[in-house]
């Protein structure tokens, strides 16, 4: 016979005056958590009591009810009501809805009420806030009524705007909250879903990887172009900005790169027009100029604008204050914060006076030009006063006058009118390179040239820091000239210093650590040497041996040329019988002598300087060498662009270098490719030369030209 199911009976509810309620000692909550009593009281004042109190009758010693009731479950609500009574916002006789419990244990009721409470799922809160917005409440109203910061409301609403498909994944624990936050960077649901499909399949689903993929075709707000134009100007022109409400985003991501570049060009041209009013013959405008762009140009000397009496008085006062502070605190181990801050302010103020406008002779301005670009901080960079060789061509024409300037008249109007400045805006486009992703081809010649340009600059810097090796390097050149008949074709001690140019501008070369070190050292010596070459001999004689050696090393370093150049009819003689450029062989010797380490000088593989320029097998080979086969397998399924970016992250800090940047070990056994005895190393090989014919064929050389 089936046993009948026993029906339960719920505890009765009734309204009890507040002054008949007391807080029970059986309430297990002792530690404050969550919403404060004050906030809960405000919520009750706005919405009334949303949840009844659980109470039990208080009985005397004989078990008779006293008319009072204790509250074992709902103590925080009781305290909030108590606060409202103290604030005279509620009567002490106000009826309070209560559930009256009779059986069981009071402490058990209190534990159960807290244990069985389920917090609101974050997704439900996001959607609830969106519903309140749809019903007409403002973000500020929501923040005030739910006791949160308005920024929190903005974040929740942003999360509510993520694709509903991703909401479902999050609701089913298919992703964590941090991943959902990353997707909120963009409002494009299709792109969000596409990225989630990619990262969930590949396993590369960290929040930072999601953000990177969502913003890969944008420009960061910290980019110098964005800093130069200004975010407000970009947005006023109709440009969109992606913002991350959950992490610092450096000003967000600018979506319209074409618009940004146009605004940059327009602003640079406007600045150039302003500077053209000074009377310069030409102005060259570019986002960035290649390293060594002023080689071969004469820099004219200017005179700083004289200081006014007020400015000089300010400088004197700042110098006096600086000297006093340094004297007062010379014996302390650590400067007080306010003193340290003031010294910094003084240094900045004095530096501003040193960076004064320069005055040039009008005749020099008429033949000289200006380079205008943007520096690394997004500020306008103006480099005035450079004369091209063709603008210094002079002749003695009796009809025109002695030493008349007959340089190019381009940009000048006929008659007595003022010279018109020629403004040239440089543009650059990436080289189109055939990229067969499935073949591990030799590295492109241009890429090797760019890599070895970095190495050449680093080697110059290293040589300049090692006078002993620099001395030996030049001495080696002397010995070759004196004792080896075919080593040099010089006449009377022709060992002049020639600084080779870089045939290809490597990305980041001008901003590299080596470039800045060479430039800083050069400027320091330039300031130390006399203005007139007639005084140079005496000035050099006054230097001690160490200073002479340092200057010697610095000058010798400019002659370093370790740049790879593809073979052609002009440099065939530079290849040794072993098939390797003797110049590069000697560069390796020099690199070992000075202890050159391209990792230590700051070079690391990036998408721009290497990984985005080679084939997929090359990328995987680099990751495999640096991190092992398991790391290579993590990215071998990706498209090339994504593979290059992930490889950059994996290789960061690994110290891996491509072959052209490694120091060759002379004791290592040469590795010959099968079937090609004496072949070039892979990174120097030219597939077409090896397959299509000999370098000695004049017709092929002409065709290559």
């Amino acid at each position: 016979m089936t046993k009948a199911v026993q029906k339960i009976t719920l505890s009765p509810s009734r309204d009890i005056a507040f002054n008949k309620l007391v807080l029970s000692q059986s309430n297990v909550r002792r530690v404050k958590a969550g919403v404060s009593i004050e906030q809960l009281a405000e919520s009750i004042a706005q919405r009334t009591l949303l949840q009844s109190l659980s109470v039990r009758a208080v009985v005397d010693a004989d078990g008779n009810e006293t008319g009072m009731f204790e509250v074992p479950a709902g103590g925080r609500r009781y305290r909030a009501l108590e606060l409202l009574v103290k604030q005279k916002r509620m009567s002490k006789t106000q009826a309070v809805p209560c559930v009256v419990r009779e059986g069981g244990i009071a402490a058990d009721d209190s534990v159960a009420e807290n244990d069985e409470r389920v917090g609101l799922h974050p997704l439900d809160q996001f959607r609830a806030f969106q519903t309140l917005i749809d019903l007409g409440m403002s973000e500020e109203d929501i923040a005030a009524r739910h006791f949160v910061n308005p920024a929190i409301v903005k974040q929740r609403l942003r999360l509510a705007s993520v694709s509903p498909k991703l909401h479902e994944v999050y609701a089913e624990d298919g992703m964590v909250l941090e991943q959902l936050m990353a997707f909120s960077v963009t409002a494009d649901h299709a792109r969000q879903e596409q990225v989630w499909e990619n990262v969930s399949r590949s396993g590369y689903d960290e929040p930072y990887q999601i953000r990177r993929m969502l913003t890969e075709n944008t420009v960061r707000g910290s980019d110098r172009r964005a800093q130069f134009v200004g975010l407000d100007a970009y947005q006023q022109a109709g440009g969109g900005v992606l913002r991350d409400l959950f992490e610092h985003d450096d000003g967000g991501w600018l979506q319209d790169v074409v618009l940004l570049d146009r605004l940059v060009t327009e602003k640079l041209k406007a600045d150039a027009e302003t500077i053209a009013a000074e009377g310069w013959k030409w102005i060259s405008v570019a986002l960035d100029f290649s390293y060594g762009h002023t080689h071969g140009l004469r820099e004219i000397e200017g005179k700083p604008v004289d200081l006014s009496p007020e400015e000089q008085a300010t400088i004197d006062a700042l110098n006096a204050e600086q000297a006093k502070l340094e004297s007062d605190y010379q014996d302390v181990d650590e400067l007080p914060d306010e003193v340290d801050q003031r010294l910094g302010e003084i240094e900045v103020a004095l530096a501003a006076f040193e960076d004064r406008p320069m005055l040039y002779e009008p005749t020099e301005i008429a033949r000289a030009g200006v380079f205008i670009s943007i520096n690394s901080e997004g500020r306008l960079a103006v480099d005035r006063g450079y004369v091209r060789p063709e603008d210094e061509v002079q002749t003695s024409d009796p009809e025109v006058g002695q030493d008349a300037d007959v340089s190019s008249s381009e940009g000048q109007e006929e008659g007595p009118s003022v010279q018109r400045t020629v403004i040239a805006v440089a543009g650059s486009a990436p080289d189109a390179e055939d990229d067969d992703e499935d073949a591990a081809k030799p590295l492109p010649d241009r890429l090797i040239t760019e890599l070895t340009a970095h190495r050449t600059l680093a080697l110059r810097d290293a040589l300049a820091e090692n006078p002993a090796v620099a001395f030996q390097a030049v001495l080696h050149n002397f010995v070759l000239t004196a004792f080896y008949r075919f080593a040099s074709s010089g006449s009377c001690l022709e060992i002049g210093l020639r600084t080779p140019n870089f045939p290809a501008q490597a990305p980041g070369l001008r901003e590299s650590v080596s470039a800045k070190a060479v430039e800083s050292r050069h400027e320091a010596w330039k300031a130390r040497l006399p203005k007139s070459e007639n005084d140079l001999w005496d000035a050099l004689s006054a230097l001690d041996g160490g200073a002479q050696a340092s200057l010697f090393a610095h000058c010798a370093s400019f002659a370093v040329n370790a740049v790879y150049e593809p073979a052609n009819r002009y440099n065939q003689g530079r290849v040794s019988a072993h098939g390797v450029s003797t110049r590069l062989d000697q560069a390796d010797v020099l690199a070992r002598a000075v202890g050159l380490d391209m990792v230590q000088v700051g070079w690391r593989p990036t998408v721009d300087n290497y990984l985005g320029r080679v084939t997929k097998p090359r990328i995987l080979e680099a990751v495999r060498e640096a991190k092992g086969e398991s790391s290579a397998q993590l990215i071998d399924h990706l498209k090339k662009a994504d593979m290059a970016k992930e490889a950059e992250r994996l290789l960061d800090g690994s110290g891996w270098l491509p072959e052209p940047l490694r120091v060759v070990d002379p004791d290592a056994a040469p590795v010959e490719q099968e079937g090609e005895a004496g072949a070039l190393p892979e990174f120097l090989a030219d597939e077409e030369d090896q397959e299509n014919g000999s370098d000695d064929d004049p017709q092929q050389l002409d065709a290559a030209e």
Side-chain angles (χ1 to χ4, degrees):
M1 182 175 177
T2 304
K3 187 177 180 180
V5 178
Q6 185 177 1
K7 300 294 192 296
I8 66 170
T9 301
L10 298 178
S11 299
S13 61
R14 57 184 285 194
D15 291 341
I16 302 173
F18 178 76
N19 59 354
K20 297 297 182 180
L21 301 175
V22 293
L23 191 61
S24 173
Q25 295 301 313
S26 299
N27 193 304
V28 297
R29 185 184 292 275
R30 298 287 187 268
V31 180
K32 293 182 179 180
V35 179
S36 69
I37 299 299
E38 291 79 6
Q39 291 177 345
L40 183 54
E42 287 298 325
S43 178
I44 294 174
Q46 293 175 8
R47 304 175 181 89
T48 74
L49 192 63
L50 300 178
Q51 185 178 358
S52 300
L53 303 182
S54 178
V55 301
R56 288 175 177 270
V58 178
V59 297
D60 58 18
D62 297 328
N64 300 317
E65 293 187 6
T66 62
M68 299 295 292
F69 294 84
E70 63 176 356
V71 184
R76 296 179 65 252
R77 278 163 280 156
Y78 173 83
R79 289 193 180 91
L81 294 171
E82 184 180 44
L83 178 59
L84 291 173
V85 171
K86 289 181 178 179
Q87 294 174 343
K88 300 188 183 302
R89 300 168 70 185
M90 187 181 85
S91 170
K92 63 182 179 180
T93 59
Q94 170 66 48
V96 178
C98 300
V99 174
V100 183
R101 292 276 290 130
E102 294 180 354
I105 302 172
D108 181 60
D109 291 349
S110 180
V111 172
E113 186 205 35
N114 289 282
D115 285 345
E116 295 168 3
R117 179 181 302 162
V118 178
L120 192 66
H121 191 281
L123 184 57
D124 291 329
Q125 187 191 43
F126 309 157
R127 291 168 171 169
F129 279 6
Q130 184 61 56
T131 299
L132 295 178
I133 288 290
D134 295 340
L135 292 174
M137 292 183 65
S138 68
E139 295 175 357
E140 291 71 18
D141 291 338
I142 297 174
R145 291 178 65 85
H146 292 273
F147 313 106
V148 294
N149 190 291
I152 300 296
V153 178
K154 290 181 182 293
Q155 291 177 342
R156 300 298 184 263
L157 292 173
R158 178 68 69 85
L159 291 171
S161 68
V162 174
S163 166
K165 291 184 178 180
L166 299 189
H167 279 171
E168 295 305 320
V169 175
Y170 174 54
E172 296 173 3
D173 297 328
M175 71 169 67
V176 297
L177 180 59
E178 287 74 15
Q179 291 172 310
L180 191 67
M181 291 176 179
F183 280 108
S184 71
V185 167
T186 178
D188 187 341
H189 287 183
R191 180 59 178 157
Q192 291 172 352
E193 294 164 9
Q194 180 187 38
V195 169
W196 172 247
E197 183 179 355
N198 290 336
V199 300
S200 60
R201 202 172 53 238
S202 67
Y204 280 88
D205 57 358
E206 292 293 328
Y208 78 89
Q209 292 168 321
I210 294 171
R211 286 187 179 89
R212 179 184 56 74
M213 293 183 68
L214 290 171
T215 59
E216 61 185 352
N217 295 321
T218 63
V219 172
R220 272 196 173 275
S222 57
D223 186 274
R224 58 176 174 165
R225 289 171 292 173
Q227 295 292 317
F228 179 67
V229 171
L231 195 59
D232 291 341
Y234 166 79
Q235 290 180 303
Q236 289 174 5
V241 180
L242 301 178
R243 298 307 301 261
D244 191 341
L245 298 184
F246 300 94
E247 290 190 359
H248 180 62
D249 60 10
D250 291 328
W253 293 268
L254 282 65
Q255 295 176 274
D256 196 335
V257 182
V258 174
L259 172 63
L260 176 63
D261 288 338
R262 178 172 64 82
L263 294 175
V264 169
T265 301
E266 290 174 355
K267 187 173 181 182
L268 282 173
K269 289 177 67 175
D271 290 329
E273 293 288 353
T274 301
I275 295 173
E278 299 173 10
W280 301 98
K281 182 171 185 179
W282 53 267
I283 294 178
S284 182
V285 180
L287 179 65
D288 193 14
F289 291 102
S290 63
Y291 179 80
H293 65 284
T294 59
H295 286 171
L297 305 182
R298 176 174 65 88
E299 184 177 3
I300 63 177
E301 292 188 7
K303 179 183 178 183
V305 174
D306 292 335
L307 293 168
S308 67
E310 294 79 9
E311 291 174 327
Q312 186 60 56
T314 302
I315 292 176
D316 294 340
L318 289 172
N319 284 327
E321 183 182 359
Q322 183 182 48
K324 185 177 186 306
L325 289 174
E326 291 175 348
S327 175
D328 292 344
Y329 294 94
Q330 61 181 347
D331 297 328
V332 301
D333 295 331
E334 186 175 354
L335 290 174
D337 292 341
E338 62 275 9
V339 175
D340 187 44
Q341 179 180 353
R342 179 53 185 161
L343 286 173
E345 294 171 352
I346 292 175
E347 290 179 1
V348 171
L350 290 174
F353 282 112
E354 293 177 0
D355 189 19
R356 300 195 307 281
M358 303 291 287
L359 294 176
Y360 300 94
E361 292 292 335
T363 54
E364 291 279 51
I365 290 179
R367 72 174 69 240
V370 182
F371 293 100
I372 297 179
S373 61
I374 306 173
N375 66 17
S376 58
E377 296 178 352
R379 298 191 181 95
L380 183 69
V382 182
D383 198 5
R384 293 177 172 86
Y386 291 91
V387 181
R388 298 175 299 199
E390 61 268 27
D391 293 333
E392 293 188 310
V393 176
Q394 296 179 343
T395 185
S396 298
D397 190 334
E399 295 184 3
V400 179
Q402 293 292 327
D403 296 330
D405 188 355
V406 293
S407 59
S408 173
S409 59
E410 180 183 358
Q412 299 182 30
E413 299 179 354
E414 296 181 1
S417 59
V418 178
Q419 172 178 274
R420 188 175 183 180
T421 304
V422 177
I423 300 177
V425 181
S428 61
D431 295 336
E433 296 180 354
D434 183 21
D435 187 13
D436 183 358
E437 295 187 2
D438 298 325
K441 300 192 304 183
L443 299 180
D445 286 338
R446 179 182 175 88
L447 177 57
I448 300 175
T449 301
E450 291 179 2
L451 293 173
T452 50
H454 269 288
R455 187 177 188 237
T456 296
L457 202 56
L459 190 52
R460 287 180 184 177
D461 183 41
L463 185 65
E465 294 286 354
N466 200 323
V469 176
F471 239 105
Q472 183 171 327
V474 177
L475 180 60
H476 175 257
N477 197 315
F478 283 158
V479 174
L480 285 177
T481 304
F483 293 91
Y484 298 86
R485 180 179 178 185
F486 299 106
S488 176
S489 59
S491 57
C492 181
L493 195 61
E494 289 191 5
I495 191 173
L497 185 66
R498 185 179 69 86
T499 301
N501 292 322
F502 298 138
Q505 181 66 23
L509 186 65
R510 190 181 181 193
E511 299 296 328
S512 66
V513 175
S514 303
K516 292 180 178 179
V518 171
E519 182 181 4
S520 175
R521 186 187 305 108
H522 190 74
E523 291 301 319
W525 274 114
K526 184 177 179 181
R528 191 171 175 181
L529 294 174
K531 296 291 184 183
S532 173
E533 59 189 37
N534 296 329
D535 301 326
L536 180 59
W537 182 266
D538 292 338
L540 294 178
S541 300
L543 297 176
D544 59 28
Q548 286 183 343
S550 295
L551 180 56
F552 178 87
H554 174 68
C555 295
S557 71
F558 280 99
V560 171
N561 186 2
V563 177
Y564 164 76
E565 298 177 54
N568 56 49
R569 66 170 59 186
Y570 300 108
N571 64 12
Q572 290 299 305
R574 301 180 185 178
V575 179
S576 69
H578 299 291
V580 180
S581 169
T582 55
R583 173 164 52 77
L584 298 184
D585 285 341
Q586 293 181 14
D588 285 331
V589 173
L590 196 59
R592 290 194 297 272
V594 298
L596 178 66
D597 185 344
M598 291 301 296
V599 177
Q600 293 296 323
V601 301
W603 194 93
R604 66 181 186 88
T606 65
V607 173
D608 292 334
N609 68 15
Y610 183 80
L611 299 169
R613 313 278 298 283
V614 298
T615 58
K616 291 174 66 174
R618 282 280 184 182
I619 299 174
L620 293 174
E621 179 186 2
V623 174
R624 191 176 295 114
E625 288 182 2
K627 307 293 287 188
E629 180 63 33
S630 59
S631 295
Q633 291 177 357
L634 291 175
I635 64 173
D636 59 5
H637 65 285
L638 298 177
K639 293 183 179 180
K640 180 181 173 181
D642 294 332
M643 179 185 289
K645 292 174 182 176
E646 289 304 318
E648 177 179 335
R649 183 184 65 82
L650 289 171
L651 293 175
D652 189 26
S654 67
W656 182 88
L657 295 171
E659 295 169 75
L661 298 187
R662 302 174 188 174
V663 176
V664 178
D665 184 358
D667 298 327
V671 179
E672 294 186 355
Q673 299 181 7
E674 184 177 353
E676 297 185 32
L680 290 172
E682 186 178 8
F683 73 91
L684 293 178
D686 187 307
E687 285 184 333
E688 294 183 359
D689 286 347
Q690 293 178 13
E691 295 176 1
N692 297 337
S694 167
D695 291 336
D696 297 328
D697 188 339
Q699 293 181 351
Q700 291 184 1
L701 288 175
D702 290 339
E705 285 292 307

